[in-house]
Every structure is written in structure tokens, then in C-alpha cells.
Amino acid sequence: MRRRLLAGLAVALVPMAWQVRTPAAAGGRSCESLAALTIPNVTVHAASVVAGPLTPPGAQTALTLPAFCRVEATARPSSDSEVRFEVWIPPVEAWNGKFQGVGNGGYQGSISYTAMAAALRRGYATASTDTGHTGDDMVFGQGHPEKIIDYGWRAIHVMTDTAKLMVRNAQGRLADKSYFVGCSAGGHQAMSEVQRFPDDYDGVVAGAPAHNRIRQAFGFMWSWTATHTPDGKPILTQPKLALVTKAVVEACDGLDGLKDGLITDPRTCTFDPAKLACSGADDASCLTPPQVDAIRKVYDGARNPRTGEQIYTGWARGSEGFGEPASQSWRQYLLEPGEPSRIGLFRYFLFHDPNWDVHTLDYDRDLAYAEERLPHLPAVSRDLSAFKRRGSKLLMYGGWMDPVVPPQDTAAYYEAVAKALGGYDKTRDFFRLFMAPGMGHCAGGPGPNQFDALTALEQWVEKGVAPDTLLASHSSNGKVDRTRPLCAYPQVARYKGAGSIDDASNFACVAPAPVARPVRTSS
Ligand SMILES: [Ca+2]
């Protein structure tokens, strides 16, 4: 997240804070004494003041941080659990009185030190967990159903519970407010907390939530199969993906009334890759018939072959290849892996067969089986009423060019929650979604993609000022070259008709023009 604003201030407040602190006056206790806490199922390995740069395990560079109390611990909520986590607590003089849990990425089992550092610099006490395993390959779930539960929801909740207690013991009082901030898997964790433990957090930032965890994996199987030959060779290349994105933007940029290189809502775009079909031999400027077919299938998304039901959305038009890095195209998760991303869910979580072959996947029976067997994995309940009733706030965001978590799924979830609650008006008072045109996965992309969601959420939770817009910026070579408001869904930013299209002040949030949603564009 973006927390540059307050970083300097927090650093300035900190010098020698631990030395001048008087534990008795603060009502708390020394950092070192936290090691003696006797919390059920929790082992505290170390508690000590860090007063200089910290190089996290596995990192190449040191984090520059204000002084803080570092607590390292392991929770064992089940006999097969091994949930490592850390809690970082500022000295009382530098503490903003609040707690922030931070999320993870992918299936990665590692503590999110960079996110913790950002929270600490803002004055937060903060915590992160490795979610109960190490590594990213999902083998940890083989024969360890409890570890899958830890990954699915339990590690974050246990971390939250325990960290709050540690903060209380260090500071002499509970935190005034608690926030959770995460993107991707962190967005999934955010939604799991909102649904399963609505009392854990007062404010939650859920970026690009990968919370439709099972169906997204079916989507990965579908899209990988669509983009590879039966013997596993990729049908598409990076230049072809970039070619398609360029053509998509050319075709659909103007649909929103402004030619600015951005598609306000790719769901309005019906671009057919057959428009790029080679008329003769294959070359860099065209698509072969198998390439056209592959792209159509990825747009269409996974379907139940028996009922025709869409079981997971396709990937968005415009997300094919909008940047050079593999993460800014279908390359990282769809094209380049020699096997489908998340195949481990089927091998190690579901079928317990390390040799399971994606070509044997049954999109009908296997989906039903997965949803019955792994109910702890997704967080897609539409009933957020307990979180709403408590007065907590949820700020969700997504990028309309996201090549990892298809943005249509994020928008569809918001629409479904609004429908369950009786409309957008009954949803906006506690849950708002901000979709960013031209933004990739959590950040990046040709559209404005830098914004401070946490400050907006703090204003909402602590002052009752709900965010109607988030001010987003885009930079090239470290220089801001465009600003644009992100609007509370379903509103969109519309150009007022005068002034620079790179200046947010020349845009207003309005209801989207009614556009017939495209149905399938290929069979
Ligand atoms: Ca446009």
C-alpha cells in the first residue's frame, strides 16, 4: 500500500523512544517481558527491541525502520499446525494507538516484512504470519488437512487474536482501532476475516481479492489448457499477447467517450481476436487459427460442459500483455508455467495424487467435489451483515487489466453482495469498491494505479467520512504524468469536457452509461 506521506513523520517521532519510555506510567511492560506471556497454544520465541536497520530472513537489503519491539512467535491451533508470526510494536510515544494486520501473496508461506515496515512507519503496531507453512508450491497440504485450514483462514485469525493481546500487554491497553490490509491472497484473507470473523477488524482493505479460491483454480486449469497444446507447449508468445492488448485498446478505448488509452470497463468491450487473424503465413502482426481460438477460450472462461453454466469468469480483454514484465500479462500465471498455476490444489489439497493430470479434470463433478471438500478455502459468502452491523468498513479495489485475478469476478462479487443487501444504497454505507481502469494486479499498468486506500479507510472508520473517490496517479520514470479519480462502484470517472485529460480535477464520478453486457463472442 502507499504510505509515503506519513513515513517521514513517524521516523521523526521515534529517536530514543524506548529509552525515555516509563512502563509504569504507560501501564504496559517492557518489550523483553513479552517473551514470558503464557498465551494458550502460542510459543513466544523472542521479544526484543530493534533499534537499527533490519534485514528480514531471505532478503537482500535491510529495512530502515523506527525503533520497535519485535516479537517472534509460533501458534499451534491444531496438533499439526506450525503458524509462525511476528508482531511489531512501536514504543508508546510513537504508537498511533492502532493495530494493523497485513496480508500475504499467492500461496507464499513467508512473513510480509515489507508490509509490516510500511505499517510500522505509520505508527501502527502490526503483525504478519507465514500462514502456517513455507514455500509457494502447495505441497505443504499433502497429508496435512489442518495446514490447509491454517492457510485458508485460521492463521490470519489466530495471528490477529494473539497480536492484539501482545499489543495490549506491551502498551497497557487494547488498540483503539484495528485494520487489515492485503492484496491478492491478502485480499482473500481480508474477505475471510470480514466473513468469518467480523469482529476482528474495524476497517479492511481488500485489494484484487483472490477469494474465489476454488473456482479461480478451475479458471487457471481452463486457461492453461486453452493456451497450451495437448503436450504442454504454449500456443501464444509475449509479442502476440502485446499485439492483442494493443488491438483491444484501439477497438474499445472510445466506448467510454474518451480516447485516453484506457478502457473504463472491459465488460463493455466485445473485441474478437479473429480480427487479427493471419490472412496468409504466420507473422508478428497476426494470429494463427489456434491462437485466435486460445484467446477466445480465455476470454470466455470455464464452463460446466453439462449445464453450460459459467463456473468462473474469463480473463479480461486488455489483460493479455500490457507491459514487459511477466506479471503484466498472461505470461506469469497462464502461459509460461510448464503446468497450470495452482495445479497443487488438485494434486495435494483435493485428490491426494501427485501425478494428477489436468487433462482429466471434470468441470462438473470435480467442481462440486472440491466445493464440498474444501469449504475452508474460499471466502465468497455474500452475507456480510455481521460486519456491517458492527459498524466496520470494507474498502475493496481491483485493476481492470488484472491478468491474475480477473476483475469481472471482483465486480460480480460486489454486485452480488449489493443484491443480497437490497441494493447499492444499502451497501455503500459500509462496503465500497474502487475499480481502476488500466491497472494490473494490485499495482502497475498504463492507468493511474497508485493511491492511498488506507488513509481513505482511516477517514471512514475514524471520522465517518466515506470515500466517494480515491485519487490515483500514474508515473513514468518516477514522475507523475496522469491523475484520475477512482470512483465508488458502479460509478465511473467521466471527463468534464475541458482541461487536461491527465488531471483528475477535470473528471467527475457519474453513473455508467447503460451498455448491453456482451454475451459470449465465440462458441
Ligand atoms: Ca477511454
Side-chain angles (χ1 to χ4, degrees):
M1 304 308 299
R2 297 88 190 169
R3 305 186 180 96
R4 290 183 220 103
L5 275 177
L6 292 178
L9 181 61
V11 169
L13 287 171
V14 156
M16 294 181 291
W18 281 101
Q19 287 92 322
V20 299
R21 181 180 160 204
T22 49
R29 49 200 285 176
S30 74
C31 178
E32 286 74 12
S33 73
L34 296 178
L37 291 176
T38 54
I39 303 169
N41 303 320
V42 173
T43 305
V44 180
H45 306 296
S48 58
V49 173
V50 175
L54 175 74
T55 304
Q60 302 300 318
T61 51
L63 295 166
T64 305
L65 297 165
F68 67 101
C69 173
R70 180 188 187 191
V71 185
E72 298 166 78
T74 299
R76 294 183 183 86
S78 81
S79 60
D80 195 30
S81 292
E82 189 77 15
V83 177
R84 286 181 53 245
F85 65 100
E86 291 197 20
V87 185
W88 292 4
I89 306 169
V92 67
E93 296 83 357
W95 188 37
N96 67 8
K98 298 183 280 185
F99 169 72
Q100 184 183 137
V102 299
N104 301 77
Y107 283 79
Q108 122 202 151
S110 56
I111 288 167
S112 305
Y113 290 102
T114 308
M116 292 182 82
L120 187 75
R121 290 188 192 112
R122 283 180 81 137
Y124 278 92
T126 181
S128 172
T129 170
D130 68 355
T131 72
H133 70 275
T134 54
D136 191 37
D137 60 11
M138 301 169 78
V139 178
F140 70 88
Q142 188 168 26
H144 295 283
E146 295 292 342
K147 288 189 191 299
I148 300 174
I149 294 173
D150 286 334
Y151 172 79
W153 58 263
R154 192 163 51 198
I156 290 286
H157 173 61
V158 168
M159 170 199 88
T160 300
D161 241 16
T162 315
K164 284 181 174 181
L165 194 59
M166 288 175 172
V167 172
R168 201 220 77 87
N169 280 297
Q171 306 288 25
R173 65 178 175 91
L174 290 165
D176 300 324
K177 297 288 178 194
S178 295
Y179 292 86
F180 186 85
V181 179
C183 195
S184 194
H188 173 194
Q189 293 163 339
M191 295 312 298
S192 176
E193 283 292 298
V194 167
Q195 293 164 25
R196 293 184 170 96
F197 302 100
D199 292 333
D200 275 2
Y201 290 99
D202 303 289
V204 169
V205 175
H211 60 142
N212 203 349
R213 186 61 70 173
I214 292 174
R215 289 179 178 236
Q216 188 193 16
F218 276 78
F220 279 129
M221 299 306 118
W222 174 277
S223 293
W224 187 90
T225 307
T227 51
H228 291 77
T229 61
D231 60 348
K233 294 199 173 57
I235 293 169
L236 290 150
T237 62
Q238 160 75 6
K240 297 276 177 122
L241 291 172
L243 176 76
V244 176
T245 294
K246 189 163 173 286
V248 166
V249 173
E250 273 170 20
C252 294
D253 182 356
L255 290 176
D256 53 35
L258 180 67
K259 280 274 194 181
D260 58 350
L262 303 175
I263 301 168
T264 293
D265 183 345
R267 294 173 303 179
T268 62
C269 178
T270 57
F271 175 82
D272 184 348
K275 288 203 168 65
L276 291 170
C278 300
S279 52
D282 181 17
D283 67 40
S285 69
C286 65
L287 300 176
T288 64
Q291 290 172 339
V292 170
D293 189 46
I295 291 166
R296 280 177 169 170
K297 282 180 181 156
V298 176
Y299 288 160
D300 278 354
R303 283 183 183 274
N304 181 317
R306 183 173 55 85
T307 63
E309 177 212 359
Q310 178 102 58
I311 63 176
Y312 192 65
T313 178
W315 266 249
R317 285 171 172 79
S319 69
E320 308 85 1
F322 54 86
E324 274 304 310
S327 61
Q328 296 196 346
S329 80
W330 292 354
R331 283 166 59 205
Q332 184 175 9
Y333 281 89
L334 302 188
L335 204 61
E336 291 184 348
E339 295 185 301
S341 297
R342 311 314 182 212
I343 195 168
L345 185 144
F346 301 88
R347 287 182 175 164
Y348 311 119
F349 290 14
L350 194 60
F351 296 130
H352 307 289
D353 172 8
N355 299 312
W356 181 82
D357 178 354
V358 64
H359 298 104
T360 66
L361 181 60
D362 184 322
Y363 288 87
D364 183 8
R365 283 176 301 181
D366 291 348
L367 177 64
Y369 183 75
E371 294 195 319
E372 184 202 323
R373 289 306 180 97
L374 300 171
H376 38 268
L377 208 47
V380 289
S381 168
R382 292 158 187 186
D383 178 9
L384 307 185
S385 54
F387 186 80
K388 175 183 159 102
R389 219 167 27 242
R390 192 180 175 274
S392 296
K393 310 297 182 201
L394 171 57
L395 194 161
M396 184 181 276
Y397 67 86
W400 275 125
M401 275 189 168
D402 192 326
V404 185
V405 174
Q408 305 96 310
D409 195 53
T410 304
Y413 176 76
Y414 190 77
E415 290 176 0
V417 170
K419 194 174 169 197
L421 287 167
Y424 291 122
D425 287 347
K426 295 189 171 63
T427 310
R428 292 168 53 83
D429 58 345
F430 82 104
F431 177 16
R432 295 189 181 198
L433 168 65
F434 296 86
M435 296 300 293
M439 181 169 113
H441 186 54
C442 295
N449 59 70
Q450 293 287 307
F451 48 89
D452 188 346
L454 180 56
T455 294
L457 183 65
E458 289 170 331
Q459 293 293 312
W460 197 5
V461 168
E462 295 163 33
K463 304 210 168 92
V465 181
D468 290 323
T469 66
L470 297 179
L471 178 62
S473 64
H474 179 275
S475 297
S476 298
N477 304 318
K479 199 161 168 259
V480 173
D481 53 15
R482 175 175 276 178
T483 60
R484 191 68 66 88
L486 305 182
C487 301
Y489 191 89
Q491 290 197 326
V492 294
R494 181 166 302 158
Y495 181 52
K496 293 177 186 168
S500 168
I501 64 166
D502 298 326
D503 183 343
S505 64
N506 298 321
F507 287 76
C509 291
V510 298
V515 178
R517 294 272 173 80
V519 287
R520 304 180 71 193
T521 54
S522 64
S523 54

